[in-house]
Amino acid sequence: MALHQVFLVFLAFGLAVFAQSEFQHVFEKSNKQPGTIFHHPIQRVAVVGAGPAGLQAAAKLIEHNFTVRLFERAPHPGGKLALQRKLLRDEPTGTTDQIPAQLPTSRYHSEGDDGLTLKHRWTEHWRPRPVWYNLFTNSPKASTELPDVPYEPETPWVLSHHTIQRHVRSYATHHCLNSNDYCPRTPGAPRVTSYSTRVEKVEKDEETHTWVLTLRRLEQLPESNRLREEWWTETFDAVVLASGPYTSAHVPDIEGIVDWSKAREGEQYSIYHSQAYRHPERYAGKTVLIVGASVSASEIARDLGPFVHRIIASVRPPKVPRPPRLRSLSRFPNITEFVPEIASFEPLKSHAEGIRSGRIHLMNGSILQGVDEIILATGYRSHSLYPPNTTTRRPENISWTGHYVPDPTLAFTIGRPWTVGRYQSYGLAKVWEGSAPLPPPEQPPTEPNPGTGMWFPEAMFRQYITWLNDASLEHGGRFVEPLPIENVELLKYYAVVHFLNNTMSLDNIGLNSVSMFGKLEVEDPWDALADEGLDW
Ligand SMILES: Cc1cc2nc3c(=O)[nH]c(=O)nc-3n(C[C@H](O)[C@H](O)[C@H](O)COP(=O)(O)OP(=O)(O)OC[C@H]3O[C@@H](n4cnc5c(N)ncnc54)[C@H](O)[C@@H]3O)c2cc1C
Ligand SMILES: NC(=O)c1ccc[n+]([C@@H]2O[C@H](COP(=O)([O-])OP(=O)(O)OC[C@H]3O[C@@H](n4cnc5c(N)ncnc54)[C@H](OP(=O)(O)O)[C@@H]3O)[C@@H](O)[C@H]2O)c1
Ligand SMILES: *[C@@H]1O[C@H](CO)[C@@H](O)[C@H](O)[C@H]1NC(C)=O
Ligand SMILES: *[C@@H]1O[C@H](CO)[C@@H](O)[C@H](O)[C@H]1NC(C)=O
Ligand SMILES: *[C@@H]1O[C@H](CO)[C@@H](O)[C@H](O)[C@H]1NC(C)=O
Ligand SMILES: *[C@@H]1O[C@H](CO)[C@@H](O)[C@H](O)[C@H]1NC(C)=O
Ligand SMILES: *[C@@H]1O[C@H](CO)[C@@H](O)[C@H](O)[C@H]1NC(C)=O
Ligand SMILES: *[C@@H]1O[C@H](CO)[C@@H](O)[C@H](O)[C@H]1NC(C)=O
């Protein structure tokens, strides 16, 4: 009671001080609405993906007594930042077999069946991770953390992916969500997690108002050197799609690239997408052409710098001089030779001797020759599991809370920064248990790039917290605290050093050929973190 009173005073004060329209909007609405009512009470919830976002959603929904099932196609948690130590060539997606007509069903695969190795089937099920041995975060510790499992105080700001993986796995273990965990609170309760399980299809049954997931699990049977493939369906009242932003590699459609992609020297191909990059040693003494001007390009170039003979980077001018892009340009090692975008690859005489004698036509008419290896740091493609055939990470009409507006029993996770996950997952639990009304779907009008970038804007954090606490005041539940002020300050400091000050020294780094800069305008350093990818 006392807490409520204190909070009311705080709210009244807050309203007076921040007489901003979006805040009032939220307060007015929630005073009148009950919690959102669904067709039937929501009990069974599926979470797709055990990356940082999916794990946080699953943990919170379990805490709120939902019956949760967490599906992850990989054999362990961790999401995109978990390393898979396999140098795989980028394979196109779409090798998914047809869904069998009768479910459930099982089949067995032996080495060489249908011309596929067991290793191929196993890795295809969950794809190579775009993580290399010396990868460090491009977001500071303060925004790349999960609750309940704090980093050691002496952990540096910039984390190696090994540290990140341990952190994410610790979080999974802490919440009994790791691959072999089984900690039922009631005897006989179903397992929460299902690893090595790919969600192949998400459908809405309009009659029962439930979601039907078509699932496929692979299991290695070492004693008979076979793979068991199991297909089945499960039904849910609500679904969280936390399957991450990067479904497959984006390979640009440059004339001749398919021909060049067949070139190899011995076992190794000469062109790989950056998602297959692992170690710099393999490139020792070589001339490497990196295509792209973003984070993968600059960070792989830095990793290669001390080992290679030459680094050439093919970059095209950014359409807008955004801080993340400029930061990447400033981080290429100083031996980088920048060249314009590639126009075409001249057909090769042979595919057996690599690409060294091949001719690469640049947009400015020049020809580049003598390249040993090409790394396509050209980004990723996204697909959403629902609605069918959505070729962006998220369909249209997602509320800023992640709810799919036409049917808010479906939700998409936000992803970056990871710290937004604690608020989002609480919001999902509250809406589905009926202790919060759905907020108005519109984005707050004050943001220049409202919630569309990868980085959740600071003002949206404030809006989230206000909405959650307002709902708790009205309908019951725990109050949430904002991120610690010192973390926000650290984040802004990091943004200034990494994104703003760093990019002021871009003259004389050999980029004149691509002359690309406009004026960089950023009002708040937090906004400098707003990242690429408008379809995020
Ligand atoms: C090279 C690289 C470096 C990065 N560095 C950083 C960084 O420093 N800081 C940062 O904040 N972000 C970084 N990111 C972005 C990073 O991907 C996200 O921050 C983070 O992974 C988002 O978490 P998530 O849980 O939303 O998605 P993900 O981590 O991608 O997790 C999604 C999970 O869903 C699973 N999944 C997908 N589809 C299915 C399906 N159909 N069925 C079952 N499971 C499925 C995947 O296997 C995966 O485990 C980086 C990305 C890349 C590519
Ligand atoms: N922690 C880390 O250090 C780290 C490392 C790697 C990646 N990441 C994260 O992973 C995400 C993806 O990054 P990413 O660098 O892989 O992809 P990305 O940001 O999508 O960048 C792709 C780059 O390829 C360029 N490109 C595409 N087609 C091209 C073509 N035909 N010719 C020349 N250039 C072409 C794009 O140019 P345009 O801009 O002109 O389209 C862009 O510069 C980001 O969120 C990033 O933060 C983090
Ligand atoms: C979950 O159920 C337990 C046991 O019934 C109860 O004590 C707890 O308050 C519930 N949690 C929430 C968030 O409703
Ligand atoms: C280039 O970078 C290397 C290593 O970071 C440094 O030792 C060298 O002085 C730099 N050279 C120039 C010309 O800036
Ligand atoms: C094209 O760009 C390359 C690399 O910057 C440069 O060396 C060359 O002179 C340019 N060619 C023309 C015709 O401008
Ligand atoms: C999705 O695409 C597939 C293949 O192109 C097609 O068969 C199917 O009908 C499409 N589904 C919808 C709902 O558009
Ligand atoms: C999204 O919402 C707009 C406006 O309400 C509507 O016109 C559009 O059809 C919706 N799109 C989808 C895919 O639901
Ligand atoms: C960034 O640059 C500005 C202008 O040169 C300077 O005043 C400021 O101290 C720098 N900040 C940091 C954190 O380096």
Side-chain angles (χ1 to χ4, degrees), residues 75-87:
H76 48 66
K80 272 297 171 295
L81 289 180
L83 180 71
Q84 180 199 6
R85 280 191 187 76
K86 286 198 174 96
L87 189 69

Side-chain angles (χ1 to χ4, degrees), residues 327-399:
R327 173 193 185 245
S328 290
L329 291 172
S330 75
R331 283 178 61 85
F332 277 93
N334 60 15
I335 57 163
T336 309
E337 303 159 42
F338 290 96
V339 302
E341 195 176 343
I342 297 168
S344 66
F345 295 96
E346 215 172 273
L348 294 167
K349 293 192 180 67
S350 147
H351 291 143
E353 291 145 42
I355 54 173
R356 197 169 171 79
S357 60
R359 288 154 57 89
I360 302 168
H361 294 256
L362 302 175
M363 284 292 189
N364 73 351
S366 284
I367 286 174
L368 185 62
Q369 237 178 330
V371 170
D372 297 307
E373 303 264 357
I374 297 178
I375 297 173
L376 299 170
T378 44
Y380 294 87
R381 283 187 196 286
S382 304
H383 299 275
S384 159
L385 279 163
Y386 192 87
N389 301 345
T390 304
T391 52
T392 51
R393 187 182 96 86
R394 318 201 303 179
E396 278 179 57
N397 296 353
I398 306 282
S399 148

